Every structure is written in C-alpha cells, then in structure tokens.
Amino acid sequence: MLFRATAILAFLVGSSTAFAPSSNVHSASSTRLNLDNDDTAGDDRRTFVTKTGSTVAATALATATGAFGGLAVQPQPAEAAATKMWKQVKLPFAETLYDIDFDTPTHGYLVGSRGSFAETSDGGETWEARSFSNLDAEEEVTYRFTVSSFTDGEGWVLGKPALMLHTKDAGKTWERIPLSPKLPGEPTSITSLGPGKAEMTTSSGAIYYTENAGRNWKAQVKETIDATLNRISSSGVSGASYFTGQIISQIRDDDGAWLAVSSRGNFFLTWEPGDDFWIPHNRGTSRRIQNMGFVEGDLNKGAWMTLNGGKLLICYTEPDLKADTFDFKEANIKTGGFGITDVAWRNKSEVWAVGGSNTMYVSQDGGKNFSFDKSANDIPGNLYNVKFFKEFGNKGFALGSNGLLLKYVG
C-alpha cells in the first residue's frame, strides 16, 4: 500500500469538524466524555469515566495475555546478588499491566488488560482505579488498554479492539477518536509531542503525525513495510521474503527515530525522520529477536536487542543505519534461559533488565555486566516493561502480570 508523505490521512476521519471536542456538538463518530465528579457530568452515555475501587476487575470480560503463559517459578541464578532496589505498589486490580506515563512529577496513568485503568496524584505511591464503563454500552465490549502517552496535561490512550482516546485537560474529559477499518494495520503506539501534536504507528509500519489533536493526520512514510520488503526482497535481508506485514516491539527514541521487529523475530527495521521508507536489517544471529530499544533512549548512543534464551546484545556506539547489521556485543547476564522482555537505562551507568518469572537484573557499568536483583523474587508472574522518567528525577517503574507494579527506590 502506497502513501504520499504529505497526504492528509483519510483512514481516520471523515471530516475534521466531526472530531472537534465540544460540549454542545456530539456525533456517532466522535464523543466527548466527562468524569462523574465533573460539574457537567450526568447519567447519559457521555459520562464514561468514573471513579471505582473494584469495577474494572469485577466487570472484566477479556482474558489477560502476555509473552509468557502461566505463573512460573522464580529462578535462582548462582550469582544472585543481595540487592533489592524496588518495592511493590498496591493496585486496586490484579490484571496484566502494559504501560505507564506521567505528565507531571506527581500525576500519571497506568493501563492494562480487562479495562484496567488507574490514576495517581502522588507520584505513583497510590493508585485509584477508573472505569470506562460505557465506551460501548450497547455492545458491552471490554477493552485492553495497551499504550498511554502524556505531555503537560494532554494525553493519548490506545486499546484493543482498536481504540484511541484523547484528553486535553489531564483526564477530566476524554474524546474518542474514530479509527477506520481501512487503516493499514492496527494502531500499536502513540507518542504525545505537545499541544495537539502526536505521532502514531501501526502494525503494518505506517507512521502518522497530527498537529491538530487528531482531526487530520499526515503520513510520514511512503509505503508500509510489507510493500517495502516486497520491492527490495532481493536485497539479502534474511526472512524478508516470508514477511507477513506485521511488526512488533516498536519503540521511538527521543528524537523521533524508530526501531521495529518483524513478527517472526527474524529481522528488524529502522526509520528516521525524513526517510521515505523503513530500512531492514539482519539480526546477525540464529536466535529469534524478542525485543529491541535504544541506549539511554537515544539512537545516537546505540541500541540493544534481546534474543530467545535470555540473551542480551548491546551496540554501544551510534549504529550505521545503512549497514546490514549493527555491531552488537553480548552482555554478561546469566538468566538461566528465561527471556528478557525489556531493558532500560536509568542513567549512563545504571541499566535494568526484566523478564520472565519476574526476574530483574542490574548493571552498574553501562550494560556490560549484570547481577541479579531479588526485589520480585517471591512474587509469581512475569515482568513485561521497565521505564524511567528522566524528566521527573529518573523515577522508575516495572510492570508485569497479576497487577504487579514495582517502584524504584534505589
């Protein structure tokens, strides 16, 4: 599927006025929604965000999913250290958590499976559940919220089945942005970039940018990834000829560069602002890619890659995006075969890796050597995401299954 880089996206909106947030104008394709403690809230369908202590869990219909099945037994690596640098935070539900974000040092949101949605006003020490109880009151659909992104009171949330929500007032009211079935792939990530601005990607590799709060979107690449690979399948990229058009593990660096992994984990792709197409790269190993990301959140400082079997590879210098492979070096991390699901730099030296069976590892030398951390040692489940907020004093959180939220205490 071919896109013009400057074209206005027609897959998301039928007309720009249909999605203008207004307390007086409502349509079937765009709905403004208020908190129940807002002065304008009522009992109509527009009032779908309500405070609740147990509604989210009690009315859940969807089945939680994750990269690992069941509740695994915590491994005990031989080099297990005595460090315990995280504490568990109690939540009002016990569902799988997928993302967390803050728009101030104290105010933030947490999203997860089975409609799990919570808000904090004290920096993540305590959380209060919220329920989108009448998003689809007639259909009784329970959404899995997968991504949240906030900047200065403006926020975006993605969910499955395909759903996009937007707020301009720190979550007091929300607007649902309609998504057309003609959209190439499902929305997989969204990044808030300032007043009215956001960048969205799809599972087919489409990248779109809005500067008017989602009324219109502009395509940033000329074609989806499957079209690119079909066009250059003779380039020698291993696995490209079998590509089915889906990508996973999309991550954006601070300057807008993207990394994405093919759904089979047999190659990865990169994109930088200004490029017309994604660039495919060989993984340089026989093991399947689990996840990828950037060193210190910056492509210029390098990239990391986790592989099947608990392997972690790190490229410590700015990679050549035109090269077939990156200069990855294997980190010294003994996982006992448990997969690593995410890696994050707290600062230049301190690096954290999390994974299956709630394993946690820390490096104090920039990712060369890791030791075991037992913060989640006695908790069943799996960790999926670790995240630090540089703009808010490097506060950190790790997210997992069974409502597991850990806060970094050092």
Side-chain angles (χ1 to χ4, degrees):
M1 185 175 294
L2 185 66
F3 301 94
R4 292 186 178 274
T6 59
I8 298 295
L9 174 63
F11 298 125
L12 296 182
V13 298
S15 64
S16 59
T17 58
F19 310 100
S22 170
S23 58
N24 298 319
V25 180
H26 308 284
S27 69
S29 60
S30 179
T31 309
R32 185 176 178 86
L33 310 116
N34 301 304
L35 287 170
D36 64 339
N37 58 351
D38 188 271
D39 292 338
T40 60
D43 295 328
D44 59 313
R45 291 186 62 196
R46 293 181 290 115
T47 310
F48 82 103
V49 182
T50 57
K51 290 187 177 181
T52 167
S54 59
T55 303
V56 175
T59 61
L61 299 177
T63 301
T65 61
F68 303 90
L71 301 180
V73 178
Q74 181 73 25
Q76 296 292 335
E79 80 287 2
T83 59
K84 195 171 183 180
M85 304 171 70
W86 301 74
K87 70 173 183 179
Q88 185 174 6
V89 178
K90 292 184 178 180
L91 294 180
F93 43 71
E95 313 302 338
T96 299
L97 308 177
Y98 292 117
D99 201 9
I100 185 173
D101 204 11
F102 287 79
D103 58 355
T104 72
T106 57
H107 184 246
Y109 285 97
L110 182 68
V111 299
S113 66
R114 301 187 182 187
S116 303
F117 195 93
E119 183 179 8
T120 181
S121 296
D122 58 10
E125 293 292 335
T126 60
W127 295 82
E128 187 170 8
R130 305 237 177 217
S131 173
F132 295 84
S133 57
N134 65 334
L135 256 164
D136 284 297
E138 297 176 359
E139 300 177 17
E140 296 185 352
V141 175
T142 300
Y143 288 89
R144 177 175 64 180
F145 300 115
T146 56
V147 178
S148 63
S149 182
F150 286 81
T151 305
D152 298 328
E154 183 165 14
W156 303 78
V157 171
L158 292 182
K160 292 183 179 180
L163 172 75
M164 179 184 292
L165 302 174
H166 176 235
T167 179
K168 294 182 179 179
D169 52 13
K172 293 183 178 64
T173 60
W174 293 81
E175 178 186 17
R176 181 172 180 173
I177 307 297
L179 298 168
S180 168
K182 294 183 179 180
L183 184 72
E186 294 184 354
T188 50
S189 72
I190 192 161
T191 305
S192 179
L193 299 174
K197 299 177 181 179
E199 190 170 81
M200 177 189 69
T201 64
T202 76
S203 57
S204 293
I207 303 176
Y208 298 111
Y209 176 79
T210 182
E211 53 186 8
N212 58 8
R215 293 182 182 86
N216 303 108
W217 300 78
K218 292 182 179 180
Q220 303 299 294
V221 292
K222 288 187 175 181
E223 61 188 9
T224 54
I225 285 177
D226 54 348
T228 297
L229 293 176
N230 289 334
R231 181 169 50 80
I232 61 172
S233 59
S234 61
S235 64
V237 175
S238 176
S241 59
Y242 302 102
F243 187 67
T244 59
Q246 298 294 309
I247 54 178
I248 58 175
S249 253
Q250 294 164 286
I251 188 168
R252 183 185 190 274
D253 85 344
D254 296 336
D255 295 322
W258 284 93
L259 269 173
V261 179
S262 74
S263 55
R264 294 190 178 188
N266 50 1
F267 65 95
F268 67 97
L269 308 103
T270 58
W271 181 84
E272 284 189 299
D275 290 348
D276 290 334
F277 315 104
W278 287 83
I279 301 176
H281 305 272
N282 281 308
R283 65 187 186 269
T285 175
S286 60
R287 293 178 181 265
R288 185 166 61 91
I289 304 172
Q290 294 286 335
N291 199 3
M292 293 189 70
F294 302 101
V295 172
E296 297 183 63
D298 187 350
L299 176 63
N300 296 324
K301 296 182 179 180
W304 58 265
M305 172 192 294
T306 63
L307 306 172
N308 244 359
K311 299 291 185 180
L312 171 60
L313 306 181
I314 301 177
C315 174
Y316 295 96
T317 58
E318 181 180 358
D320 180 4
L321 297 189
K322 304 300 181 183
D324 181 54
T325 59
F326 289 3
D327 185 22
F328 285 109
K329 307 294 183 184
E330 185 171 351
N332 179 23
I333 180 170
K334 295 179 174 61
T335 65
F338 286 88
I340 300 173
T341 54
D342 200 16
V343 181
W345 268 250
R346 183 172 180 269
N347 52 47
K348 184 177 181 180
S349 301
E350 187 177 339
V351 188
W352 284 88
V354 301
S357 198
N358 283 349
T359 48
M360 305 188 80
Y361 305 89
V362 59
S363 170
Q364 300 293 350
D365 59 6
K368 295 180 175 62
N369 300 283
F370 285 81
S371 59
F372 183 68
D373 181 273
K374 64 177 184 178
S375 296
N377 198 50
D378 299 322
I379 306 173
N382 302 290
L383 287 168
Y384 302 121
N385 192 353
V386 58
K387 199 170 184 180
F388 292 97
F389 297 90
K390 294 182 292 186
E391 66 274 33
F392 301 131
N394 266 343
K395 69 167 60 181
F397 293 87
L399 288 62
S401 59
N402 308 316
L404 177 58
L405 177 66
L406 300 176
K407 184 177 181 182
Y408 180 84
V409 294

